[in-house]
Amino acid sequence: MTRRLAQVAKKVGVSEATVSRVLNGKPGVSEATRQSVLTALDVLGYERPTQLRGERARLVGLVLPELQNPIFPAFAEVIGGALAQQGFTPVLCTQTRGGISESDYVELLLQQQVSGVVFAGGLYAQADAAHDHYRLLAERKVPVVLINAAIDHLGFPAVSCDDSVAVEQAWRHLVSLGHERIGLVLGPEDHIPSQRKLTTVRQVAAAAGRELAGEHVARALFSLEGGQAATARLLERGVTGIICASDPLALGAVRAARRRGLAVPGEVSVVGFDDSMFMNCTEPPLTTVRQPIEAMGRAAVEMLTVQIDGGSVTAEELLFEPELVVRGSTGPAPRDAGGR
């Protein structure tokens, strides 16, 4: 007990006597100090006293599918900073292959009695994945916000980049450069953002009197290797312009083109999605569609804190406008494209 008091007191910067007063429910401690002591208790992994276990901690879970894609650390930085400004401590939960699953993280967060959870990418975007852990959060009435498109029936507030606008910007950019054979590298078939992108391209192409051939759509896991394999199939079918559902997929597309001896952008143009860190430092610098990470992350935190404070937020998905960033990976269609 003495060791616990000392550790908590040191973390918060108060006396052991103050920590003792909080743990024993004694008066004479400000609410801010009380909350700081309880949060420190949670962070250090100590159980709260029985009489305090009914209260949710000033912890917020931030669940990410990975950290290899730079877009997710970028979201974590914005969301973590915004949470700290509101007096919350973010708990970063990152999935790894063969490691702790998303549902396992949810159970751990519930055990810690977190105040809320933000998901930035995850199983909620896959229609065929298991979703029981989301229903558990809803049953426990834990405030939740999802970042980027989710399946319809979950009912959580969502903040998303407008996939339709993003892919239309990319498509029109390639068309303006003279590309006629345009391919898409998307995520799995049950991936909701990819479904939205595909639907929009088909509509835009049809409106222009063109058709997106089924053979010009390739599916891949969200990785550089996945993008390379999918693009290799598209290049065999003669595409000269490629729109990818993430920046790592786009970097894989560039690699695939070069492995075939094709110049980027001289013979193949590539467009990514996210504008994650260092995409202006690749060779060539990547043309991509930028997600407004700062605005989306802060909106997600605002929606979460309103719920935590007992307020209500819109059930409608908040869509944020993306921005096409033209760099060196796109150029005019090759003159001999028809013969490829």
Side-chain angles (χ1 to χ4, degrees), residues 131 203 240 242:
H131 299 123
Q203 292 172 344
T240 64
I242 300 173

Side-chain angles (χ1 to χ4, degrees), residues 7 58 87 259 287 312:
Q7 285 187 320
R58 297 285 289 180
R259 291 283 171 87
T287 294
S312 59

Side-chain angles (χ1 to χ4, degrees), residues 86-258:
Q86 297 292 328
F88 292 95
T89 300
V91 179
L92 184 62
C93 303
T94 306
Q95 301 168 63
T96 56
R97 292 178 182 176
I100 299 178
S101 67
E102 190 175 274
S103 60
D104 290 335
Y105 272 128
V106 168
E107 288 189 16
L108 291 171
L109 292 172
L110 288 172
Q111 290 173 12
Q112 291 297 318
Q113 298 180 334
V114 293
S115 294
V117 184
V118 177
F119 291 88
L123 298 180
Y124 62 83
Q126 295 177 238
D128 297 337
H131 299 123
D132 290 344
H133 52 293
Y134 298 116
R135 298 186 185 95
L136 184 59
L137 288 167
E139 290 170 1
R140 299 282 185 88
K141 301 188 184 306
V142 177
V144 171
V145 176
L146 309 177
I147 293 182
N148 282 326
I151 59 175
D152 289 334
H153 61 77
L154 288 178
F156 293 126
V159 173
S160 300
C161 181
D162 195 323
D163 291 297
S164 296
V165 172
V167 76
E168 182 174 355
Q169 289 178 347
W171 177 270
R172 294 192 184 283
H173 172 60
L174 291 178
V175 169
S176 73
L177 293 171
H179 292 274
E180 296 183 359
R181 296 180 181 177
I182 299 173
L184 300 180
V185 177
L186 303 175
E189 289 189 10
D190 69 333
H191 185 244
I192 304 301
S194 293
Q195 290 180 5
R196 292 182 175 184
K197 289 180 173 70
L198 179 56
T199 298
T200 297
V201 168
R202 283 174 172 162
Q203 292 172 344
V204 172
R210 303 173 63 173
E211 181 181 355
L212 176 67
E215 64 178 9
H216 288 173
V217 179
R219 303 284 182 172
L221 296 176
F222 282 95
S223 66
L224 189 149
E225 294 77 14
Q228 180 179 346
T231 299
R233 297 194 298 272
L234 292 178
L235 293 175
E236 291 175 357
R237 297 160 188 166
V239 302
T240 64
I242 300 173
I243 300 170
C244 300
S246 75
D247 288 340
L249 288 175
L251 295 181
V254 173
R255 179 193 283 180
R258 286 178 169 168

